[in-house]
Amino acid sequence: MSAPLPCYHCGLPVPSGSRFCASVLGSRRHFCCPGCQAVAEAIVDNGLESYYRHRSESSTNPDALPGLIPDELKLYDRADVQQPFVQTDGELSDTRLLIEGITCAACGWLIERHLTRLPGVHSADLNLSTRRLHVQWDADRLPLSELIQSLRKIGYAAHPWQPDTVTEQLAQSNRKALRKLGVAGLLWMQVMMASMATWPEFNIDLSPAMDSLLRWVSLILTTPIIFYCSTEFFQGAIRDIRTRHLTMDVSVSLAIAGAYAAGIWSTFTGQGELYFDASGMFAFFLLSGRYLERRARERTAAATAQLVNLLPASCLRLDAQGNSERILLRELKLNDHVLVPPGHLIPADGIILDGRSSVDESLLTGEYLPLPRNPGDHVTAGTLNVEGPLTLRVDALGDDTRLSAIVRLLERAQSLKPRLAEIADRVAQWFLISVLLIATAVGLVWLSIDSSRAFWVVLSLLVATCPCALSLATPTALTAATGSLHKLGLLLTKGHVLESFKHIDTVIFDKTGTLTEGRLTLKHVQPLAGQDADRVLALASALESRSEHPIARAFGHSALSAEQVTTTPGMGLEGRVEGQLLRIGRPDFVAALSHCEPPQPPSQQGQWLLLGDQQAPLAWFALDDQLRTDAPDLLAACRAMGWNTLLLSGDSSPMVQEVAATLGINDARGGLTPDDKLAVLEQLHNEGHRVLMLGDGVNDVPVLAAADISIAMGSATDLAKTSADAILLSNRLGSLVDAFGIARRTRHIILENMAWATLYNGLVIPFAAIGWVTPGWAAIGMSVSSLLVVLNAMRLTRLPGTASQPATDNLASAPS
């Protein structure tokens, strides 16, 4: 009896006599049920038929579904591994898995139906919005590894889902802040309308009963603003009083609470003006500013955790007989022998005992080419083994690894507080102390002159001098400028960037992926001995098409095919093309095939590969990392600003000096580690320089975190982005030229806003102190002051009329 056909969609057996069929990829396919048939027909009808080219290979081909469970999955059957994400209640186990590859609701239906038909699975519920699968099953009947493998068989990758506590707390705090902001804004608008109706200018026909009703309505609507939306201000004020370190929370709390208390008195007595609208306005404006700050800060919360995630979760440990065993990384010990297959991450710092390969260290060093590594060489945790298997002896684990050292450098750099921020904190504290002392003195004076007016005068003074405009002066301008820069492709993640541009006098550039494209390109073909250029290029491309080395991507595709291709790590490739034995790679490696002396490259610039056969060398190929087309414009803008420029790169090749010479960079240094780069930055800081850093790799993270301003490329690693003050999403260096111009305008508008806020507070204090400003007029004056600050900042939403050149011209005349 022949084996039943597998369902073309889900891979389960098709019952005998089933008539569920559909045409997919030009052939008639069989399905196990009408559900699979309907899903397949829907996929075909929506033009997604190519989906089955991959699915058919992974799910319906018996040869593609080996019965062996990969050793990585078998780790999930261990109780210690399951402990964080599996709960057991009686006979059933309970877990949540994160599913990859879901495209529509039909996928969810397929996953749930497939799992519930497995022996031992009690229930399977998939949340399509979060891609989280909740499974209850009998672990004695079905190991977790087989459950995950069954999902892989139908084309979906599953991973244990564990909530990130820090991320969840940040998200919850962000939702709470947004909720408070929305409630404050909605209720304030209603309170404003009710309060204005009680003003003498508007209540010409207002009856006493309606006046009383509006006062009570205002009180009821304002109460949630005070006891829900404004709690963080009061908590901050209490904290400041306990620690004897005053911040804006103290004056804000006094103004909000004072206006609310005055409103309550006015509501109960039916006399005087209401000040509930002032309380709501204070809360709404201040909550808006804090929400914007919160959104900027949360981007950097998980930076250190992301760096640690560069390490693999498990590794292959070798016993004394040379047999490999898959273990968790935490089980690894010093002096253990580890096997690292090609394409895998190196789990720990160690020394190569056996094997030759190339190791991609770009994440840690910035070197864009994998470096050859031989027995006796040191390798670093988190780097990628590219070509051949390596056997290592573990020399460092945990905090002793080089990766952990970079984490410590990052934490140290992030702990440094800019001097300007410290000065601003001290000035703000003295301003608040002065206002409170003045208010106290004015209150005492009025108690002796006219005690009935003392409270109103003090309240007017606190309301009028509430630093709302002062607190909005910088955030509103930065918000407007941030929106304009986002349209240009530059995303700011920290508010100090535009304000600090003025003080920059030095720029540090990374090379690979920043000033250059970060990928090798074929620049020149030089045939030898009368060879045809197209012919030798086709031969080289055929050989390189069989390699996974980054160099191979520069050669593109070839109409020819290569056979018997072997790789010699660090040297090159050997293989046959149309029966001709060829080598491509280092000159000495290629020349050895024809037993001749290695020729010298035509030039010292770039990287040269030699192609040869058994008779003689055939051609030279020049490879180079292409310079970004807009890099010269950026360097020209830096020179127009009078900035000093440095190029610090992990690349030790001559390319570093070539790029510096091409762009006119003052100082270029190659082969630097993250420690070296941070040491250069600290030296510049000690000399009094203000530094801007532009980079893209993990090796740039400590310098990005410690620089006065740091910008990561849009193609940078996630860690570099979270450690930077700004991200160049567009990858266009020309956007930075425009950003310099917007930064100059932003600083001017910030100074104008602060000057106006200071002038307003300076003028209103004496008038409020002598009783000429009522609390109502104080609230209006404060509102107008805040409105002027906002309107002035909105001028930054107008983008420059032209692209980069005007910005450069404007910057040339800016004082440095």
Side-chain angles (χ1 to χ4, degrees):
M1 181 176 179
S2 61
L5 288 172
C7 173
Y8 189 73
H9 185 76
C10 70
L12 295 176
V14 176
S16 60
S18 173
R19 293 176 294 178
F20 304 113
C21 302
S23 177
V24 182
L25 296 176
S27 301
R28 193 158 187 80
R29 311 293 183 176
H30 297 272
F31 302 93
C32 64
C33 66
C36 285
Q37 179 187 11
V39 172
E41 290 175 343
I43 290 175
V44 173
D45 293 341
N46 284 276
L48 303 175
E49 193 173 12
S50 59
Y51 161 81
Y52 281 108
R53 288 195 176 92
H54 171 71
R55 177 61 61 86
S56 62
E57 292 172 1
S58 62
S59 64
T60 66
N61 182 2
D63 296 332
L65 303 176
L68 297 177
I69 305 295
D71 54 359
E72 294 93 341
L73 293 184
K74 288 183 179 179
L75 289 174
Y76 289 134
D77 295 335
R78 291 172 41 176
D80 59 333
V81 177
Q82 292 184 5
Q83 192 273 332
F85 61 91
V86 176
Q87 294 78 40
T88 302
D89 184 10
E91 296 181 355
L92 294 180
S93 297
D94 185 295
T95 190
R96 283 174 170 78
L97 303 175
L98 187 65
I99 308 298
E100 297 180 6
I102 295 176
T103 58
C104 62
C107 295
W109 174 85
L110 172 62
I111 290 172
E112 292 176 352
R113 182 177 179 278
H114 178 74
L115 290 181
T116 52
R117 294 180 63 177
L118 295 176
V121 176
H122 181 263
S123 66
D125 299 298
L126 178 67
N127 186 325
L128 285 174
S129 60
T130 62
R131 304 296 196 264
R132 295 175 191 168
L133 175 67
H134 180 207
V135 184
Q136 289 184 313
W137 85 105
D138 185 350
D140 293 333
R141 298 180 60 191
L142 182 69
L144 180 58
S145 60
E146 292 186 12
L147 190 152
I148 296 177
Q149 177 74 350
S150 70
L151 288 172
R152 291 190 176 186
K153 288 181 179 180
I154 60 172
Y156 300 97
H159 311 281
W161 179 81
Q162 294 176 257
D164 186 336
T165 305
V166 175
T167 303
E168 288 291 322
Q169 289 177 346
L170 280 174
Q172 183 179 2
S173 176
N174 191 53
R175 289 193 296 268
K176 183 178 179 181
L178 187 59
R179 200 160 46 238
K180 286 185 176 183
L181 177 61
V183 170
L186 180 63
L187 294 181
W188 169 52
M189 288 187 288
Q190 309 305 317
V191 171
M192 177 68 74
M193 290 188 290
S195 298
M196 289 178 64
T198 66
W199 292 1
E201 294 84 354
F202 297 97
N203 65 0
I204 299 175
D205 298 323
L206 193 65
S207 65
M210 182 58 69
D211 180 84
S212 177
L213 177 62
L214 290 174
R215 291 175 185 271
W216 280 101
V217 168
S218 298
L219 171 60
I220 294 172
L221 292 175
T222 306
T223 299
I225 299 178
I226 303 301
F227 293 100
Y228 173 65
C229 303
S230 304
T231 51
E232 64 180 87
F233 300 127
F234 299 125
Q235 292 170 353
I238 294 172
R239 179 198 63 234
D240 293 343
I241 293 172
R242 288 176 177 173
T243 59
R244 298 179 182 179
H245 180 82
L246 298 183
T247 67
M248 195 177 66
D249 285 336
V250 175
S251 63
V252 166
S253 299
L254 288 174
I256 292 176
Y260 181 67
I264 293 176
W265 183 88
S266 179
T267 300
F268 277 94
T269 62
Q271 300 176 3
E273 299 179 5
L274 290 175
Y275 302 102
F276 295 131
D277 53 334
S279 294
M281 179 178 56
F282 299 158
F284 177 72
F285 276 122
L286 294 168
L287 286 172
S288 298
R290 295 197 176 187
Y291 176 73
L292 294 174
E293 293 177 8
R294 183 189 304 274
R295 292 293 301 221
R297 287 197 307 268
E298 70 182 13
R299 293 179 179 273
T300 60
T304 302
Q306 289 187 13
L307 183 55
V308 175
N309 288 340
L310 289 175
L311 293 176
S314 62
C315 62
L316 292 173
R317 183 173 60 187
L318 299 177
D319 58 19
Q321 289 73 38
N323 300 318
S324 64
E325 175 192 11
R326 176 71 60 174
I327 64 169
L328 295 174
L329 190 61
R330 65 171 180 261
E331 299 177 285
L332 201 60
K333 297 181 176 58
L334 288 177
N335 296 319
D336 279 351
H337 291 187
V338 177
L339 175 64
V340 185
H344 286 61
L345 292 172
I346 294 175
D349 290 0
I351 295 179
I352 298 177
L353 299 178
D354 184 41
R356 299 175 185 272
S357 183
S358 295
V359 176
D360 183 355
E361 300 180 351
S362 58
L363 284 176
L364 298 179
T365 66
E367 181 71 53
Y368 63 90
L369 284 176
L371 301 176
R373 290 291 181 258
N374 302 305
D377 291 342
H378 288 267
V379 289
T380 304
T383 56
L384 179 68
N385 181 22
V386 177
E387 294 174 307
L390 294 175
T391 300
L392 314 178
R393 185 186 71 230
V394 176
D395 278 357
L397 290 168
D399 293 339
D400 296 328
T401 62
R402 185 179 178 191
L403 191 61
S404 296
I406 294 180
V407 172
R408 290 193 294 273
L409 289 173
L410 172 61
E411 292 173 345
R412 186 184 73 179
Q414 290 177 335
S415 66
L416 300 176
K417 191 171 185 179
R419 188 173 61 89
L420 289 179
E422 297 174 353
I423 295 175
D425 289 344
R426 289 197 296 268
V427 171
Q429 187 175 9
W430 282 110
F431 172 78
L432 293 170
I433 293 174
S434 302
V435 169
L436 294 177
L437 290 177
I438 292 172
T440 302
V442 169
L444 294 174
V445 171
W446 274 101
L447 282 175
S448 62
I449 297 175
D450 185 353
S451 60
S452 63
R453 297 186 60 190
F455 175 77
W456 303 109
V457 172
V458 171
L459 178 60
S460 298
L461 182 60
L462 288 175
V463 171
T465 59
C466 181
C468 192
L470 195 60
S471 64
L472 289 172
T474 299
T476 52
L478 293 178
T479 301
T482 298
S484 298
L485 290 175
H486 191 267
K487 296 176 183 177
L488 295 173
L490 181 66
L491 175 65
L492 301 188
T493 61
K494 296 179 184 177
H496 74 90
V497 174
L498 292 173
E499 185 182 1
S500 303
F501 256 123
K502 174 66 177 178
H503 306 289
I504 296 299
D505 57 23
T506 302
V507 186
I508 295 177
F509 294 100
D510 179 45
K511 180 183 71 67
T512 306
T514 303
L515 294 177
T516 67
E517 297 287 351
R519 61 179 183 271
L520 287 174
T521 56
L522 184 62
K523 306 293 289 186
H524 180 64
V525 179
Q526 183 170 323
L528 301 175
Q531 298 290 329
D532 179 72
D534 293 336
R535 171 66 179 175
V536 294
L537 178 58
L539 294 174
S541 299
L543 280 178
E544 293 290 352
S545 65
R546 302 292 299 276
S547 172
E548 296 297 326
H549 198 283
I551 285 179
R553 303 177 194 141
F555 284 86
H557 300 286
S558 173
L560 305 178
S561 60
E563 299 175 348
Q564 303 174 12
V565 177
T566 59
T567 300
T568 303
M571 303 296 290
L573 301 173
E574 179 180 314
R576 290 187 178 274
V577 180
E578 295 183 339
Q580 184 180 5
L581 184 62
L582 299 170
R583 281 186 181 182
I584 185 171
R586 288 179 44 174
D588 52 346
F589 171 71
V590 174
L593 182 63
S594 57
H595 306 288
C596 65
E597 289 294 323
Q600 293 298 318
S603 170
Q604 296 301 317
Q605 296 184 352
Q607 180 170 354
W608 290 85
L609 299 182
L610 184 63
L611 174 71
D613 59 12
Q614 292 177 293
Q615 281 71 44
L618 302 178
W620 284 103
F621 299 91
L623 303 178
D624 215 341
D625 189 5
Q626 186 174 353
L627 196 67
R628 292 186 185 271
T629 56
D630 47 4
D633 293 337
L634 176 59
L635 268 296
C638 293
R639 286 191 291 270
M641 290 291 292
W643 291 346
N644 184 38
T645 53
L646 287 85
L647 177 58
L648 304 182
S649 176
D651 185 3
S652 57
S653 71
M655 182 69 178
V656 176
Q657 298 300 328
E658 294 172 21
V659 169
T662 302
L663 297 177
I665 295 178
N666 309 42
D667 186 359
R669 310 178 195 180
L672 300 183
T673 64
D675 313 54
D676 298 331
K677 292 187 178 184
L678 188 59
V680 174
L681 176 63
E682 291 175 345
Q683 180 182 355
L684 291 171
H685 278 164
N686 292 335
E687 295 172 357
H689 295 289
R690 300 292 174 84
V691 182
L692 182 151
M693 171 66 188
L694 182 63
D696 74 322
V698 173
N699 61 310
D700 300 319
V701 166
V703 187
L704 288 170
D708 298 276
I709 299 178
S710 54
I711 301 176
M713 302 295 291
S715 56
T717 62
D718 289 339
L719 180 62
K721 293 178 183 178
T722 56
S723 301
D725 301 326
I727 303 171
L728 191 58
L729 298 175
S730 64
N731 280 323
R732 290 194 312 108
L733 298 180
S735 296
L736 293 181
V737 180
D738 293 330
F740 296 160
I742 293 178
R744 179 171 173 265
R745 292 172 54 208
T746 302
R747 182 176 182 273
H748 289 166
I749 287 179
I750 288 175
L751 292 177
E752 292 170 2
N753 285 349
M754 296 189 70
W756 162 249
T758 304
L759 179 64
Y760 164 77
N761 282 281
L763 292 176
V764 80
I765 286 177
F767 290 106
I770 61 179
W772 288 7
V773 179
T774 64
W777 282 109
I780 293 174
M782 196 271 290
S783 301
V784 171
S785 175
S786 302
L787 182 61
L788 288 176
V789 165
V790 173
L791 292 177
N792 190 39
M794 289 300 101
R795 293 192 296 134
L796 288 169
T797 59
R798 297 196 299 267
L799 292 175
T802 52
S804 300
Q805 188 59 38
T808 307
D809 295 340
N810 290 338
L811 286 169
S813 60
S816 58

